[in-house]
Amino acid sequence: MKVSKEKAAENRAAIVTAAGRLFRERGFDKVGVAEITKAAGLTHGGFYGHFASKDALAAEACEAAFAESLDRLPADEASAEGALAAFLTRYLSERHRDHPEAGCPMAAFAGEMARLDPAVQDRFGAGVERFFAAVAARLPADGGAGDAGRRARAIAIVSALVGGMALARATARTGPELSLEILDALRTQLGAWGDGQG
């Protein structure tokens, strides 16, 4: 039975969404094509009608995961605490720590990215650049340092967020107090960096 173009596009999107969630939750190497298609509500046989390889899917899923994360940022603009503070509060939350499948692809993928296909690495790098730009746009001017100073602060903040989230997740089960301390300290310190006080 021939599938309509609309249904084919819907099936492809379901595969990408399922892959993005599973990859963030368990890693690229720990998830197979059959599991991804099952999670998407499809059969394994149709996968290669949509993607040439698992690497091709990984590249697209990585890009989609960044888009999903970046799409959340405009909601921070309406927060009474300010866009950067709202972003830090949301990013450095127990909810984000405990649900990597729905969270930031940088924190989920950074540790394994160097071992993946260059096409996946390219999409990851482009997503990181988009995050740097989005955070830089939320920072106040840095006393004459201009765009370069703002970008440098954004890089430092994003890097600390990703590393901090990795540490908070790694200690959550056996050191829950330490995990919370990491999240709390980063919210305070990165907020000060963002204000140009750090």
Side-chain angles (χ1 to χ4, degrees):
M1 182 173 74
K2 189 166 171 69
V3 176
S4 70
K5 286 183 180 179
E6 292 80 11
K7 186 62 177 172
E10 185 180 306
N11 289 346
R12 182 184 180 95
I15 292 170
V16 170
T17 299
R21 291 189 175 276
L22 288 168
F23 289 152
R24 279 179 280 178
E25 180 180 18
R26 299 210 324 262
F28 291 97
D29 292 339
K30 303 271 195 239
V31 180
V33 169
E35 185 177 3
I36 292 167
T37 53
K38 182 178 179 184
L42 303 167
T43 61
H44 179 211
F47 174 82
Y48 292 100
H50 294 285
F51 300 96
S53 66
K54 182 180 171 186
D55 285 337
L57 169 60
E60 194 165 323
C62 182
E63 183 174 33
F66 271 103
E68 181 185 315
S69 288
L70 288 160
D71 284 348
R72 292 187 192 110
L73 294 179
D76 299 334
E77 303 290 342
S79 172
E81 62 182 323
L84 180 64
F87 169 64
L88 294 175
T89 297
R90 184 170 44 77
Y91 195 102
L92 296 165
S93 67
E94 290 178 69
R95 178 179 174 79
H96 183 208
R97 180 196 66 191
D98 297 342
H99 294 282
E101 75 281 0
C104 173
M106 292 180 293
F109 299 155
E112 61 184 323
M113 193 53 59
R115 298 185 301 274
L116 297 178
D117 185 84
V120 184
Q121 293 176 6
D122 286 344
R123 303 281 180 99
F124 183 81
V128 170
E129 281 288 353
R130 290 176 64 199
F131 251 99
F132 289 162
V135 172
R138 286 158 172 72
L139 297 176
D142 187 11
D147 290 342
R150 188 178 282 133
R151 177 176 167 82
R153 280 193 331 212
I155 290 171
I157 288 169
V158 171
S159 298
L161 286 171
V162 172
M165 184 53 65
L167 289 174
R169 285 176 176 161
T171 57
R173 184 173 294 175
T174 58
E177 297 85 8
L178 175 60
S179 180
L180 289 175
E181 184 180 10
I182 291 165
L183 297 176
D184 290 342
L186 281 171
R187 274 193 298 271
T188 301
Q189 296 301 317
L190 296 182
W193 287 6
D195 292 337
Q197 299 168 15

